[in-house]
Structure formats: structure tokens, C-alpha cells
Amino acid sequence: MSSEFNLIQQYFSRPTPDVVLGVGDDCALLQPNTHTQLAVSTDTLVAGVHFFPDADPDLLGWKSLAVNLSDLAAMGATPRWCTLAISLPEVNEDWLASYAAGLYRCADAYQIRLVGGDTTRGALSLTLTVIGEVPVNQALRRDGAQVGDVIWVSGTLGDAAFALAAMQGRLQLNEVDMAALAQRLHAPTPRVALGIALRQIAHSAVDISDGLLADLGHILQRSQVGACLHYTALPSSEIVADLVAHPDYDRCVLAGGDDYELCFTAPAVQTATILALADTLNIRLTSIGAIVADGGLQCVDADGQLMSFNLAGYDHFAC
Ligand SMILES: [Mg+2]
């Protein structure tokens, strides 16, 4: 590696006091707590595929870690450690400093330690691996949904997708609304505390990265069950609710990516507990339907009539 690429390491070598051995040796040494299992996830973000090459590097720093933390949240895992592999066409110190600032802001907010990584010359891409801990057998999995479970979703749906639609010129938003939705797209909030709180409450969980229908679909497939959703129950922000007549509404709310909310299922007896959790964590939690024996993923309107959607052609390109 050229010396200029060695220089990059400086941006990602902050001290990691609660790690046995962090950046600087052949490997990091990590000490898991006893009676925990490790939850591990890797994501690669490629310029031109997952983000615009001219994306604000500070926001990209936040988002590249936040989307991985969202996977830990979906498992009910406590974030502990992460590594970063970064490929860059050339060393741009301003870009790196800004990217590192965003990354560490997110890392500090969620108490995850960057313990190693690699840098190479090549097309711009970012690969993050996150490691979390969860007490033995308490992880929230996709294969645990049971018939009769209530289906819940955190936060609101469609904000990020409408921000992207506005950026692509498919709708006009005033400056304030655009800023609010763009925040959701560029700086998602991984629901880490919620995931941890749902251990031993939820039967299954997934994070919504590719849209509610696709991600809930993963739970249904892995759990071998169906679902009935109530269209009118789907939670949307005030801004998105005002866009209900927009032709992109269903696609954004049902199939829009990048919300990074959690979708989870829990037995009906947990409903009061979950609503109390919403108060405690100050997070909106909405029941949107129920797990049924079969029939795939169905959605009914206010009159209980089955709805069908044409959601094809949605272009998932964000940041
Ligand atoms: Mg996920």
C-alpha cells in the first residue's frame, strides 16, 4: 500500500478504551461478555449503486454505519464492535476527514467501537462489518413469527422514499418538508434501543431497508406463515400523509426503501407492554395487521376489502 493510503488509517484509528486490543496489530482482540451470542452483519455500499458519488461524506459516514446498526437492532443485539474496509480511487483528505467525522458521530451515539479495517485503491466503496451481542437464545429472528401474532412497525413509512422521489423531480416539496424527509433518507435512526427492549417480547423482527412488503415478506417466508395488513393503519408522517393522493404514495409507503424502521411480530398478550415501550422509548409503534396461517401477504382497506398494488418499477437508489 502506498504511504498516502497508510495516511488514511490515521482517520480511523481513534483509541478504543474498552477493547482488549484495537487498531494497530494484525488483528483486534475482542472480549465478548459471558452468556452472549455474537450477531455479525456486513454491508457493502458502492458509489453509483447505493449512493451518489457526490454524496455528502459526513452524512455518508453516518448512514454507512447506521444501516448496519439497523441490522443489529433487528436482531435485538447490543452494538459492540465494527470494522471498515474502504476502497477509494484517490486519497482525498477533506473527504476522508468528513466521512470519518460522520462515522464516528454515529459510532459514539450507539456506543460501537471501530476496531480495524483496510484501505485499498479502487472504485469508491465502503464495507462495514458490525458485531453485536445478544443473550443466548434471545435474538430476534425472522423465523419466529406465529399465527395470531400482531404485526408492528416502528416510526413512519415512506419518508425516505418520498425524499428520493423529490430529489428525482417526481414531486415538489417546500424547503422545510424537504429537509425533514431528506434527514430521514440521509441520516436514518437505527432502532437499537427498541430492538434490545423487544427481546423476549417479540417473536420475530426485521429492519425495513427495502420496503415494508419486501422485508415483512422475509419474515413470512422464513416463518412459513402469511399476513394480513390493514392499509389504513400504516403509519405515515404528517408530510407523507398529505401526499396520499400522489401516484407514488403506495410505492413509497409499502415498498420504499431506506426507512430503517423495525417491523416485528408479537403475541397479542404483549400489546400493552409494547404500547408502554413506545412511551418509554418515545417512539411511535403501530400495529398494522396480524400473522395468519397462509395466503401470503395481503392488505385490506377500511372496508375489509382485499387490495392489490402495482408496485413494479420502483427504483431503489438512495443517498
Ligand atoms: Mg436487515
Side-chain angles (χ1 to χ4, degrees), residues 106-119:
C106 188
D108 290 345
Y110 293 93
Q111 297 289 298
I112 190 165
R113 305 294 178 215
L114 182 67
V115 295
D118 191 22
T119 49

Side-chain angles (χ1 to χ4, degrees), residues 41 43 67 70-71 74 142 206-209 215 260:
S41 179
D43 255 335
V67 301
S70 181
D71 283 323
R142 295 177 176 183
V206 69
D207 67 316
I208 304 176
S209 54
D215 290 311
Y260 296 101

Side-chain angles (χ1 to χ4, degrees), residues 140-147 149 202-205 219 222-223 265:
L140 306 174
R141 298 163 51 141
R142 295 177 176 183
D143 60 3
Q146 295 178 21
V147 173
D149 277 1
H203 278 158
S204 69
I219 287 181
R222 296 298 298 272
S223 299
T265 79

Side-chain angles (χ1 to χ4, degrees), residues 6-16 22-24 84 100 103-104 114-117:
N6 284 325
L7 184 67
I8 296 173
Q9 303 288 8
Q10 293 175 10
Y11 289 97
F12 304 103
S13 301
R14 295 189 190 177
T16 45
V23 174
L84 168 69
L103 182 87
Y104 276 107
L114 182 67
V115 295

Side-chain angles (χ1 to χ4, degrees), residues 166-186:
M167 288 164 61
Q168 293 173 334
R170 297 208 297 270
L171 75 154
Q172 291 287 325
L173 291 170
N174 68 48
E175 215 170 292
V176 174
D177 289 354
M178 184 63 212
L181 295 191
Q183 171 81 8
R184 293 271 290 156
L185 175 65
H186 295 310

